[in-house]
Amino acid sequence: MSKRVGLIMIALLVVAFALPALAADVKIKGDFNNRFMVYTNHNDWLDSEKGVLGDGTSAETWGEAKYRMWFDASTNDGKVKGIWAFEIGGIEYGKPGSMGKSVGGSYSGDAINVETRWLYTDFQLPWVCEKARVRMGLQPFKVNSYLWAETVMGVTTDISAGPVNLNFAWIRPYRDETKDPDNDVEDLDAFYARVNFKPADGVKVGVFGVYMTGDPDESNPANFKTITSQYYQVKKLGNETELDLFNLGVDGKANFGPVFVNWDLIYQTGSIDGANFSESYNGWDYNKGVVNEDFDVNAWFAHFDVGMNVDKMKFTYTFWYASGDDDGSDGDLDGFMTIDLDRADSICLMEGGYTDDDYYTESVGLLDKGMIFNKLAFDFKASKKLKIGAAAIYMMTAEDIEYVDQDGKKRQEDEVGIEFDAYLKYKIYDNLEFAVNAGYLFCGDAMDFWEVDKRDGSSDEDIFISTMRVRYKF
C-alpha cells in the first residue's frame, strides 16, 4: 500500500514540475474527510441492502478516513484540460483490510483502497462555438439526481447557445470481453440526450432521455440472471440480462423572490429479457417469483420541493413518489429502478450519515416496493461559521411489503415510519469544517419485515444513528 501511494506521489510531482514548461496551469485540489460513527444502536442495519434488524441493540462506534485529491492540468487559454482524481478510503480505524484489484471504469469508480475516481480529458470543441466542450474518460456523470448521478466511463458533450444548453453522451458501464468466435460480443451501452432552456426569468427546465441496451448472449435458462427485490437497481444487473430500458424525464427549478420550487418527473419503460425474479430476502420468501421470463418495465417517479428563504432561515417541504411492484409473480416490473446514485435524504435509511459508506440503501425506494416520501426541513445560518438544521420525515412504501411472520401468518404492511434528523456545521477555519448529525427512526410496522428474531407483524425496533466529521477542503 505505502509503496503504491509513494509511486503515485512521485509521478504527480514529476507532472507538476514538468507541465509549467509546456504552458499549462496545474491546480491541486483536495478533500480530506475524517468521519466518525458517534453511535448507532443498529449496526446490523447498515449493510448496503443486506441489513437486518436484530432483537435488541447492535451498538457500534468507529472512525474512518476518506481522502480525495485531484489534479487539474489546463492550457493557459483553458481550451484543454486533463483531470486525474484518486481516492483513498474509507479506511476504518483498526479494521484489517486487503488490497483490492481494479475492475476498470464501471459504475461508481474502479477499485477499493486506492481508487481512480476521475480520469478524463476535457476540451473545447473547435469549429463549433466557444461554449462547446467534450469530456472523455472516467468522469462524474449526472442525468438526474434521482436516476443516475455517479462516476462512470464515457464520452460526453456540452453545448451552449444563448439560453439553450444541449448535452449528449455515450456511456459504457460494461464491456463484454468475449473472444469465443461462436459468441457475439455484447456490451452494455447507454445513450443520453438532454436539452435545458429558460422559458422565463428565474425558471429553468430540462428534458432528457436515456436508453440503455445490452445482451449477454445467454440462451441457457439455467444461467439466467435472477433479479431480486433486495438488489433492485440497474447497476446490480451487471451485463447479465438482455436490457432495453428507456428513461424519459423532465426536471427544473424556479425562483419567485424568496420562494423556490424544484421538480422531477421520470417515466421508465422497456424490457428486461431472459431473467428470473425473486422476492426472497435473506431466506425469507412469500413464495413469489417467476423464472425464464421476458419482463416488461413500466414505472415512474415524481418529486418536488417547495420552500422559502426568510432572512437566515430556509424552510423546505420535499415529496416524492417512486412507483412499486404489487405482484412479484407476473411478468411486469412496475417498481421504479434507479441506475446508480447516492441519496442522503435520510440519515437512518440512506446515506445521510457522514460515514456514508455504511447505509441501508442508496436508492429512492425500499426493495421493489417504491416509496412515498415526505420531508419538512428547517435550516438556519446562525453566523458566517455556524449552520444548524432539523427535519421530520414520514415514509411509506408505494406498495405493500408482503411476507409471512414467525407464526406462518401472511402480513401486508406499508408504513416505514417517522424519522427526526438534526445537524450542526461549524467552520473552525475557512477550509476546515466540523459537523455532527443524528437521526432517529420510529419504525412503522413495515420494518417488521427486516426483523430476524421477532417477526410478528408489529415493529419492535427503532433505529438511531449519530455521525461526525472533520473535513479539510482545499
Side-chain angles (χ1 to χ4, degrees):
M1 169 66 182
S2 59
K3 180 183 289 186
R4 185 174 177 182
V5 174
L7 290 173
I8 290 174
M9 295 308 296
I10 290 171
L12 294 176
L13 288 172
V14 170
V15 171
F17 282 111
L19 281 176
L22 301 176
D25 180 23
V26 180
K27 296 179 181 178
I28 302 176
K29 300 179 181 180
D31 182 355
F32 292 179
N33 201 351
N34 303 277
R35 303 104 63 88
F36 300 87
M37 173 63 72
V38 178
Y39 176 80
T40 178
N41 68 331
H42 269 294
N43 191 45
D44 51 355
W45 175 246
L46 304 175
D47 200 12
S48 302
E49 279 83 35
K50 299 187 292 294
V52 297
L53 294 173
D55 188 17
T57 299
S58 175
E60 184 60 288
T61 298
W62 71 84
E64 64 184 30
K66 177 180 280 188
Y67 285 15
R68 290 176 175 173
M69 290 188 68
W70 59 97
F71 297 80
D72 184 330
S74 62
T75 56
N76 290 338
D77 58 10
K79 292 183 178 181
V80 183
K81 62 180 178 180
I83 305 293
W84 177 24
F86 66 91
E87 173 184 302
I88 301 175
I91 300 176
E92 296 180 10
Y93 290 26
K95 182 177 180 179
S98 61
M99 293 297 294
K101 294 183 178 180
S102 170
V103 293
S106 187
Y107 293 113
S108 305
D110 79 337
I112 297 176
N113 217 340
V114 178
E115 174 183 349
T116 303
R117 188 63 183 168
W118 302 329
L119 191 71
Y120 65 89
T121 300
D122 180 328
F123 59 92
Q124 181 180 316
L125 197 61
W127 314 299
V128 180
C129 66
E130 292 185 359
K131 294 184 178 180
R133 300 192 69 90
V134 174
R135 281 185 180 181
M136 52 182 61
L138 186 63
Q139 59 186 282
F141 177 65
K142 180 178 178 180
V143 173
N144 177 280
S145 63
Y146 293 93
L147 178 67
W148 194 356
E150 251 291 5
T151 298
V152 74
M153 211 86 173
V155 179
T156 63
T157 304
D158 186 294
I159 303 172
S160 294
V164 179
N165 173 255
L166 302 173
N167 300 136
F168 303 99
W170 162 64
I171 303 298
R172 170 62 62 80
Y174 279 95
R175 175 177 171 242
D176 181 4
E177 297 187 80
T178 297
K179 294 178 171 50
D180 186 343
D182 295 327
N183 291 329
D184 295 331
V185 176
E186 299 290 352
D187 303 308
L188 175 61
D189 292 296
F191 302 94
Y192 165 65
R194 168 186 280 272
V195 55
N196 298 317
F197 55 96
K198 300 177 182 178
D201 290 341
V203 180
K204 297 180 180 179
V205 178
V207 179
F208 63 87
V210 182
Y211 171 60
M212 302 188 73
T213 178
D215 184 353
D217 194 32
E218 180 57 67
S219 58
N220 184 357
N223 297 326
F224 282 176
K225 170 77 174 181
T226 296
I227 305 167
T228 69
S229 58
Q230 182 180 4
Y231 298 111
Y232 196 75
Q233 195 174 23
V234 173
K235 78 172 183 178
K236 303 292 176 61
L237 303 180
N239 192 32
E240 300 175 69
T241 62
E242 185 176 340
L243 189 69
D244 280 290
L245 190 65
F246 298 86
N247 294 274
L248 305 173
V250 57
D251 53 23
K253 58 184 179 180
N255 292 277
F256 308 101
V259 177
F260 61 88
V261 181
N262 306 308
W263 65 88
D264 304 87
L265 180 63
I266 305 170
Y267 176 61
Q268 194 170 72
T269 188
S271 63
I272 301 176
D273 295 343
N276 310 311
F277 179 81
S278 172
E279 285 196 341
S280 62
Y281 181 93
N282 288 3
W284 306 323
D285 202 329
Y286 184 53
N287 298 320
K288 283 197 172 183
V290 61
V291 297
N292 305 342
E293 183 67 47
D294 293 342
F295 294 93
D296 293 325
V297 178
N298 184 31
W300 62 284
F301 174 86
H303 155 264
F304 71 85
D305 299 319
V306 59
M308 176 179 291
N309 292 293
V310 181
D311 194 20
K312 296 181 179 180
M313 298 179 291
K314 182 171 75 170
F315 301 88
T316 310
Y317 170 67
T318 297
F319 170 85
W320 80 59
Y321 179 94
S323 66
D325 197 302
D326 65 347
D327 187 355
S329 62
D330 62 17
D332 298 321
L333 295 178
D334 299 322
F336 181 74
M337 186 179 292
T338 60
I339 299 173
D340 188 15
L341 48 74
D342 302 295
R343 295 299 314 179
D345 306 85
S346 161
I347 292 174
C348 295
L349 294 188
M350 304 171 192
E351 298 180 64
Y354 298 131
T355 53
D356 57 12
D357 286 338
D358 298 273
Y359 54 86
Y360 176 74
T361 184
E362 58 185 1
S363 186
V364 296
L366 289 176
L367 308 174
D368 63 331
K369 303 307 178 186
M371 176 76 79
I372 301 173
F373 186 92
N374 295 271
K375 181 176 183 177
L376 185 62
F378 167 74
D379 302 279
F380 177 58
K381 191 172 183 180
S383 68
K384 184 178 179 180
K385 291 188 174 183
L386 177 63
K387 185 177 181 181
I388 58 176
I393 310 170
Y394 178 63
M395 294 170 284
M396 301 173 61
T397 54
E399 299 292 343
D400 288 343
I401 295 176
E402 300 181 3
Y403 64 100
V404 174
D405 69 14
Q406 61 190 16
D407 298 320
K409 183 178 180 180
K410 177 184 174 181
R411 299 288 184 175
Q412 293 179 275
E413 304 290 349
D414 64 1
E415 186 176 17
V416 176
I418 299 173
E419 179 177 335
F420 294 99
D421 295 343
Y423 74 87
L424 178 150
K425 296 180 180 180
Y426 181 76
K427 290 284 189 179
I428 301 174
Y429 301 105
D430 288 343
N431 53 358
L432 182 67
E433 178 194 73
F434 165 82
V436 60
N437 68 7
Y440 194 100
L441 176 63
F442 293 91
C443 291
D445 286 345
M447 298 298 289
D448 179 62
F449 173 77
W450 282 272
E451 294 182 17
V452 292
D453 300 309
K454 190 180 179 182
R455 303 178 66 236
D456 56 3
S458 177
S459 173
D460 301 302
E461 301 295 328
D462 294 333
I463 301 171
F464 175 73
I465 297 172
S466 178
T467 64
M468 182 184 77
R469 74 182 178 203
V470 177
R471 189 175 196 178
Y472 171 44
K473 298 180 72 174
F474 60 89

